[in-house]
């Protein structure tokens, strides 16, 4: 029996996608519920799984091709046996390696033994999305600790390894010789650089094009303005240090800063509803709920998953919700529902070391708060100079519906709540 692989329903207002990557080749065996192909939409990247076990008989939509909802992607012969190779890209490195070598590697991505990556595929199973990242970044799969079922290497494991120089934290000490071997990589080429090596032209992904379009649309449409303030985090850091161990023991999640910032923003939005509103034609829509967008950087671009009804959540629920959205974003598992309906956004550029920036509105929202790096600075406190952990805050807002007084007042309320966090706990 032939089973068709079709583009699933992609979500509200999304009618088209781009075929990102086929995880299987014609003739390969496929298990039920195994990912076959990756689709890229203008909001999320999603995997299409097999509905039946069998053999991949035909690929109709090639990688890079635009397809509509319901379009035929390929066909499976249900129950038929196929090639033993379940991961063609992971187990056929001899053909892929020369192609990778022709591309100029970025200095930060150069590894000492890129050809060794596929060697571990016989002992450690790597999921298709993870293998794609390993191949793209010339990583060694043996340096990555798998946390998936039966020790499988997931996309999240590879992303964690990239943040730690190409190795999982637990695996890093086992290969001390890797660092010295990688030292010659940044050296200048011995001969003239070829014309082909000077530039690399890559087609923008659908997600990247969507990000570019929406950010430019926000700049062109909204009367965007940014106001700044700074917050002294001494009391907040002391409170967190005192209770973080008890918090982790009771709730099984770390007490971070995001729950305090989320609660502080909600308190400000409740007092100043215009910051939580949006414009629809010649009408202003005031939202009596608080769906907080949390900007997350991923290898594919910036995404803003939404923490729904955050005002009804406890601190622990906020921390768990944000952590889960972050994991889903990094693993490419966000759904359309995770991305829709936000009323206000928080963007934390401080995790990348940003001291100050002006965030762009996430249309049709009318406000976005930018968090930044915590840095100790000398401050005058009660007539004395003291060293304090300070953070710059930036509120970008749509001046069409938010006046300067409202914007400044909102930011002051956030500042007051963070500098005296007991106000949040007592709902003051």
């Amino acid at each position: 029996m032939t089973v068709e692989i079709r583009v699933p329903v992609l979500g509200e207002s999304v009618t088209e996608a781009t075929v990102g990557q086929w995880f299987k080749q014609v003739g390969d065996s496929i298990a039920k519920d195994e990912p076959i192909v990756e689709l890229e939409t203008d909001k999320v990247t999603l995997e299409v799984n097999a509905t039946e076990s069998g053999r991949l008989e035909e690929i109709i939509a090639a990688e890079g091709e635009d397809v509509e909802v319901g379009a035929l992607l390929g066909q499976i012969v249900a129950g038929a046996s196929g090639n033993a190779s379940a991961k063609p890209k992971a187990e056929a490195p001899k053909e892929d390696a020369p192609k990778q070598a022709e591309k100029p590697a970025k200095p930060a991505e150069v590894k000492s033994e890129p050809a060794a990556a596929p060697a571990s595929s016989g002992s450690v199973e790597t999921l298709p999305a993870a293998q794609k990242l390993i191949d793209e970044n010339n990583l060694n799969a043996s340096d990555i600790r798998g946390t998936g079922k039966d020790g499988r290497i997931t996309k999240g494991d590879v992303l964690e390894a990239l943040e730690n120089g190409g190795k999982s934290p637990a695996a890093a000490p086992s290969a001390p010789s890797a660092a010295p071997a990688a030292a010659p990589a940044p050296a200048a080429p011995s001969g003239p650089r070829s014309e082909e090596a000077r530039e690399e032209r890559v087609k923008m992904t659908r997600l990247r094009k969507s990000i570019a379009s929406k950010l430019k649309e926000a700049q062109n449409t909204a009367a965007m303005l940014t106001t700044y303030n700074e917050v002294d985090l001494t009391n907040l850091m002391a409170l967190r240090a005192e209770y973080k161990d008890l918090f982790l023991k009771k709730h099984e999640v770390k007490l971070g800063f995001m729950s305090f910032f989320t609660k502080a923003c909600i308190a400000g939005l409740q007092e100043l509803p215009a910051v939580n509103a949006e414009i629809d034609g010649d009408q202003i829509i005031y939202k009596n709920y608080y769906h907080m967008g949390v900007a997350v950087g991923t290898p594919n671009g910036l995404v803003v998953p939404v923490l729904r009804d955050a005002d009804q959540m406890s601190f622990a629920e906020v921390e768990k919700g944000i952590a889960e959205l972050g994991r889903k974003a990094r693993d490419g598992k966000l759904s359309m529902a995770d991305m829709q309906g936000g009323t206000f956004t928080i963007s934390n550029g401080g995790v990348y070391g940003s001291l100050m920036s002006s965030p762009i509105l996430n249309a049709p929202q009318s406000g976005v708060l930018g968090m930044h790096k915590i840095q100790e600075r000398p401050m005058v406190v009660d007539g004395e100079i003291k060293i304090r952990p300070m953070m710059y805050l930036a509120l970008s807002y749509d001046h069409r519906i938010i006046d300067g007084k409202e914007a400044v007042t909102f930011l002051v309320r956030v500042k007051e709540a963070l500098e005296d966090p007991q106000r949040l706990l007592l709902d003051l």
Side-chain angles (χ1 to χ4, degrees), residues 381-392:
V381 181
D382 297 329
E384 297 180 356
I385 297 178
K386 297 183 179 181
I387 303 299
R388 296 286 193 171
M390 304 297 295
M391 175 191 286
Y392 287 117

Side-chain angles (χ1 to χ4, degrees), residues 41-45 207-208 210-211 293-306 325-326 328-335 338-339 345-347 352 362:
T41 74
D42 58 358
K43 294 183 179 179
V44 296
T45 299
L207 177 60
R208 173 55 61 187
S210 175
I211 292 171
V294 182
V296 180
T298 73
N300 294 324
L302 183 73
V303 294
V304 187
V306 177
L325 289 174
K328 290 172 72 174
R330 288 187 291 272
D331 291 343
K333 301 296 184 182
L334 287 172
S335 66
D338 292 327
M339 305 282 288
T345 294
I346 300 176
S347 178
Y352 304 110
N362 182 22

Side-chain angles (χ1 to χ4, degrees), residues 137-200:
N137 294 280
N138 292 334
L139 301 183
N140 191 333
S142 62
D143 291 333
I144 301 174
R145 177 172 53 87
T147 61
K149 184 178 179 181
D150 300 327
R152 293 183 177 93
I153 297 176
T154 67
K155 188 174 182 180
D157 297 330
V158 181
L159 291 171
E160 182 181 16
L162 286 171
E163 295 176 356
N164 291 277
K167 300 179 178 62
S168 298
S174 63
S177 61
S190 55
R193 184 182 290 109
S194 67
E195 289 299 322
E196 293 182 355
R198 291 181 182 273
E199 295 181 349
E200 181 179 0

Side-chain angles (χ1 to χ4, degrees), residues 76 192 404:
I76 299 172

Side-chain angles (χ1 to χ4, degrees), residues 51-178:
T51 56
E52 297 287 344
S53 299
R55 180 183 68 245
L56 182 59
E57 183 69 10
E58 183 180 10
I59 292 177
I60 295 175
E63 294 182 1
E65 185 175 335
D66 292 335
V67 289
E68 296 182 349
V69 172
L72 186 61
L73 297 171
Q75 294 182 333
I76 299 172
V77 178
S81 60
N83 298 335
S85 171
K87 304 186 296 298
K89 296 203 173 189
E91 298 185 8
K94 293 182 180 180
E95 295 180 3
D96 291 346
K99 295 179 182 179
Q100 294 172 0
E102 292 173 5
K103 295 182 179 180
K106 299 178 181 179
E109 298 175 345
V110 174
K111 304 298 173 184
S112 58
E113 298 176 358
S120 66
S121 60
S123 58
V124 179
E125 184 174 354
T126 305
L127 296 181
Q131 187 62 47
K132 179 182 178 183
L133 276 179
I134 290 174
D135 293 342
E136 289 176 349
N137 294 280
N138 292 334
L139 301 183
N140 191 333
S142 62
D143 291 333
I144 301 174
R145 177 172 53 87
T147 61
K149 184 178 179 181
D150 300 327
R152 293 183 177 93
I153 297 176
T154 67
K155 188 174 182 180
D157 297 330
V158 181
L159 291 171
E160 182 181 16
L162 286 171
E163 295 176 356
N164 291 277
K167 300 179 178 62
S168 298
S174 63
S177 61

Side-chain angles (χ1 to χ4, degrees), residues 201-362:
R201 189 178 295 271
V202 179
K203 183 181 179 181
M204 292 176 70
T205 64
R206 185 175 291 272
L207 177 60
R208 173 55 61 187
K209 286 189 289 186
S210 175
I211 292 171
S213 174
K214 289 183 178 180
L215 292 178
K216 189 58 182 173
E217 180 185 0
Q219 287 183 319
N220 292 341
T221 303
M224 195 161 58
L225 188 63
T226 304
T227 184
Y228 302 91
N229 211 320
E230 58 182 352
V231 56
D232 183 345
L233 296 177
T234 300
N235 294 332
L236 176 54
M237 294 179 72
L239 180 67
R240 178 173 175 266
E242 182 177 356
Y243 293 107
K244 65 179 182 180
D245 293 335
L246 288 174
F247 190 89
L248 177 61
K249 183 178 180 180
K250 179 175 181 179
H251 300 292
E252 298 182 345
V253 65
K254 292 183 179 179
L255 178 60
F257 291 105
M258 285 302 298
S259 55
F260 289 96
F261 276 84
T262 299
K263 290 292 187 179
C265 286
I266 291 171
L269 295 173
Q270 289 172 336
E271 181 178 343
L272 299 150
V275 187
N276 199 50
E278 68 178 59
I279 291 179
D280 182 16
D282 60 355
Q283 296 181 329
I284 299 175
I285 303 175
Y286 291 96
K287 309 293 182 67
N288 297 320
Y289 55 92
Y290 305 91
H291 290 352
M292 306 298 288
V294 182
V296 180
T298 73
N300 294 324
L302 183 73
V303 294
V304 187
V306 177
L307 192 67
R308 313 184 88 79
D309 292 315
D311 59 311
Q312 299 179 16
M313 293 182 174
S314 66
F315 278 75
E317 289 171 335
V318 170
E319 291 290 355
K320 289 178 181 179
I322 291 176
E324 176 63 18
L325 289 174
R327 280 192 295 269
K328 290 172 72 174
R330 288 187 291 272
D331 291 343
K333 301 296 184 182
L334 287 172
S335 66
M336 290 296 176
D338 292 327
M339 305 282 288
Q340 295 173 342
T343 62
F344 185 84
T345 294
I346 300 176
S347 178
N348 186 5
V351 296
Y352 304 110
S354 171
L355 186 62
M356 181 179 287
S357 64
S358 300
I360 299 177
L361 290 174
N362 182 22

